[in-house]
Amino acid sequence: MAQRAAREIGDGYYVNLGIGIPTLVANWIAPGLTVTLQSENGMLGMGPFPYLEDVDPDIINAGKQTVTEIPTTSYVSSADSFAMIRGGHMDLSILGAMQVSERGDLANWMVPGKMVKGMGGAMDLVAGVKRVTILMDHVEKSGAPKLIKHCTLPLTGRAVVDLIITDLAVFQFLERGGPLSLIECAPGVALEEIQRKTTARFDVNLESR
Amino acid sequence: MRQKTFTDANAATEGLLWDGMTLMAGGFGLCGIPETLIEAIRRSGVRDLTVISNNCGVDDFGLGILLAGGQIRKMISSYVGENKLFEQLYLAGKLELEFNPQGTLAERIRAGGAGIPAFFTKTGVGTIVADGKEVRSFKGQDYVMETALTADLSIVKAWKSDTEGNLVYRKTARNFNPMMATAGAVTIAEVEEITDPGMLDPDHIHTPGIYVDRIVQGMAYEKRIERVTTRPRPILEGVG
């Protein structure tokens, strides 16, 4: 999934990668592209994880992991970092999700009565970044679909998703708010399985690319 | 003659702490937190605090030590997932909590320090964050009104200062500190090094001294790391 998501990153892009699997996308960025990774805690131009002896407690990413700077790095305050995000200067945000609806609503921050962690920067990212790509398992551990008609969990944003990459397929919203199209099946995955595990309505448009 | 520098964190917080006050504390995770001042506030025993901070430390470090001592009544934060005690206290109804999107939190603090009472943002439109708030359309897009935040006291962490309180932060330890320095009725900065006037480049000051009332040099920074993440050295052929 991370490898597939990396294909969404173009030359010159400024990209924010969410915590977890989206972080792994950095490993698959095609050589030869100039891509600048942003971390919303105030780092533009993020390098790889450090060697053990180079660990610096003052250089962390938004997942609180130690990272390194590169020759073009700049540091900013949280207010300036979110000005980049909210102001529409960032090209792409890749985030995880609990649920996505057929109109592109996203829920990825809260399970009432169970998980109380907070939304962090997710609401700002989906509101402000030009393109929002979701990376998620197609179904929950219980087998319940995550790509559904209406989100039942509290929303992170309404009609904010552009592309969804799962372990089974890739879906696209040609415009924000729908309609949803299936554009790729993962290798060896039949259309029937995708239909069975998806309750969101979608068009099948596998020739689009 | 006005003197901004104080000998230690107890002296720097003297007369500024009272039960029920609102406190802003800089930092992101455990990075760039005013650890010396937090410890002084713990020792003071002040209670019923409303604390504005992006996170709430971990169970035994950072703001987590104020939580463990029952000194915090309410938190205004964006993410508290690193603190198990927080979740327990909140679900048990022993702690008030207001979640703000991280960028909205940063901007509310910036606005508070800049004399802007409220602003409109598209962050959170259509979510529970916008419940009960004014939503207005500009050029066909909906925005929600968010209000400014200020505090009775802001505690921030910088890398270096001079005796005037001009501050320089280091790398991602900057985060929320610059805005919080502007939004406190009183601001105390703790720094790793206090330099003599003239030693900092005026073009490289991040927070001008007008925002800083008191300065204290922290001792023996722990700078705990939440997630030490490294990559292996490439193994050279024929070595070892």
Side-chain angles (χ1 to χ4, degrees):
Chain A
M1 281 194 284
Q3 191 175 2
R4 173 62 189 82
R7 281 168 41 201
E8 298 301 313
I9 298 175
D11 192 27
Y13 271 28
Y14 292 88
V15 180
N16 184 295
L17 301 175
I19 295 164
I21 298 174
T23 306
L24 302 176
V25 174
N27 299 332
W28 297 98
I29 296 171
L33 299 187
T34 302
V35 175
T36 305
L37 299 178
Q38 196 247 23
S39 189
E40 66 267 25
N41 54 318
M43 186 175 194
L44 184 64
M46 184 169 56
F49 298 129
Y51 298 125
L52 187 59
E53 60 273 27
D54 295 335
V55 165
D56 183 336
D58 288 340
I59 313 179
I60 63 167
N61 65 17
K64 284 101 176 175
Q65 296 170 308
T66 45
V67 292
T68 53
E69 60 188 29
I70 55 176
T72 51
T73 296
S74 59
Y75 296 106
V76 296
S77 72
S78 299
D80 289 336
S81 177
F82 281 95
M84 288 174 203
I85 291 167
R86 196 190 308 105
H89 306 280
M90 299 284 303
D91 296 293
L92 177 66
S93 170
I94 302 181
L95 292 167
M98 297 174 188
Q99 296 177 336
V100 180
S101 81
E102 64 187 25
R103 48 168 287 183
D105 298 344
L106 169 67
N108 75 349
W109 74 279
M110 186 190 186
V111 181
K114 264 173 96 177
M115 189 188 86
V116 187
K117 291 178 186 293
M119 68 290 278
M123 285 192 182
D124 308 277
L125 285 161
V126 300
V129 175
K130 287 178 197 158
R131 247 183 106 68
V132 174
T133 288
I134 297 299
L135 213 51
M136 67 176 191
D137 290 332
H138 202 89
V139 296
E140 290 176 36
K141 285 198 185 82
S142 67
K146 296 174 66 161
L147 192 44
I148 55 187
K149 280 197 176 319
H150 304 285
C151 294
T152 55
L153 295 170
L155 295 185
T156 309
R158 213 177 266 283
V160 292
V161 176
D162 296 296
L163 193 81
I164 305 153
I165 299 169
T166 77
D167 48 328
L168 301 183
V170 180
F171 295 85
Q172 175 177 257
F173 291 95
L174 268 179
E175 57 185 284
R176 289 263 170 110
L180 181 65
S181 287
L182 171 70
I183 59 170
E184 291 172 35
C185 301
V189 175
L191 177 60
E192 179 276 328
E193 182 184 1
I194 295 166
Q195 284 168 328
R196 183 160 41 84
K197 293 179 174 175
T198 310
T199 52
R201 267 175 310 178
F202 62 90
D203 308 325
V204 179
N205 198 4
L206 295 168
E207 294 83 36
S208 73
R209 56 167 80 184
Chain B
M1 202 176 90
R2 184 199 60 183
Q3 180 79 15
K4 288 190 177 182
T5 53
F6 286 70
T7 51
D8 59 49
N10 283 351
T13 52
E14 177 77 42
L16 297 181
L17 304 178
W18 66 90
D19 291 350
M21 70 185 296
T22 299
L23 178 74
M24 278 186 191
F28 181 95
L30 299 180
C31 181
I33 61 171
E35 52 183 271
T36 313
L37 289 165
I38 292 170
E39 177 58 29
I41 290 168
R42 185 195 65 77
R43 282 195 304 272
S44 79
V46 67
R47 301 182 66 83
D48 287 329
L49 297 172
T50 294
V51 178
I52 302 167
S53 189
N54 189 56
N55 316 94
C56 195
V58 294
D59 285 346
D60 64 338
F61 192 61
L63 291 172
I65 65 174
L66 302 185
L67 204 58
Q71 292 174 270
I72 300 178
R73 181 178 62 80
K74 180 180 182 183
M75 282 296 305
I76 300 177
S77 301
S78 89
Y79 188 83
V80 295
E82 319 297 349
N83 194 315
K84 289 190 185 66
L85 178 64
F86 194 109
E87 200 163 34
Q88 287 165 16
L89 289 173
Y90 175 70
L91 291 175
K94 290 178 180 162
L95 185 67
E96 288 178 55
L97 172 61
E98 180 186 323
F99 275 134
N100 283 201
Q102 197 172 131
T104 295
L105 181 64
E107 192 65 13
R108 291 182 73 191
I109 298 164
R110 197 192 72 80
I116 295 169
F119 58 93
F120 284 89
T121 174
K122 55 187 168 182
T123 300
V125 170
T127 76
I128 59 175
V129 164
D131 285 354
K133 295 175 185 167
E134 181 182 346
V135 174
R136 201 185 288 183
S137 178
F138 297 91
K139 294 180 180 172
Q141 167 121 37
D142 283 347
Y143 296 80
V144 59
M145 189 176 83
E146 296 282 1
T147 53
L149 285 171
T150 54
D152 298 310
L153 174 65
S154 285
I155 55 172
V156 302
K157 161 75 192 345
W159 181 35
K160 290 182 180 178
S161 78
D162 57 16
T163 51
E164 162 61 19
N166 292 310
L167 304 181
V168 177
Y169 306 98
R170 185 172 180 273
K171 304 182 189 289
T172 59
R174 188 182 317 185
N175 56 61
F176 280 82
N177 287 297
M179 294 83 74
M180 288 187 175
T182 71
V186 178
T187 292
I188 314 175
E190 65 167 89
V191 302
E192 294 175 47
E193 184 186 351
I194 301 174
T195 67
D196 290 330
M199 299 302 286
L200 300 176
D201 183 338
D203 268 334
H204 293 172
I205 303 294
H206 296 129
T207 293
I210 189 171
Y211 298 113
V212 178
D213 301 284
R214 300 184 178 189
I215 314 153
V216 62
Q217 185 163 324
M219 296 296 168
Y221 277 98
E222 178 174 344
K223 287 199 183 182
R224 194 187 296 187
I225 300 171
E226 279 181 67
R227 296 198 175 85
V228 177
T229 311
T230 59
R231 68 187 142 137
R233 283 270 183 207
I235 296 163
L236 299 174
E237 296 262 335
V239 173

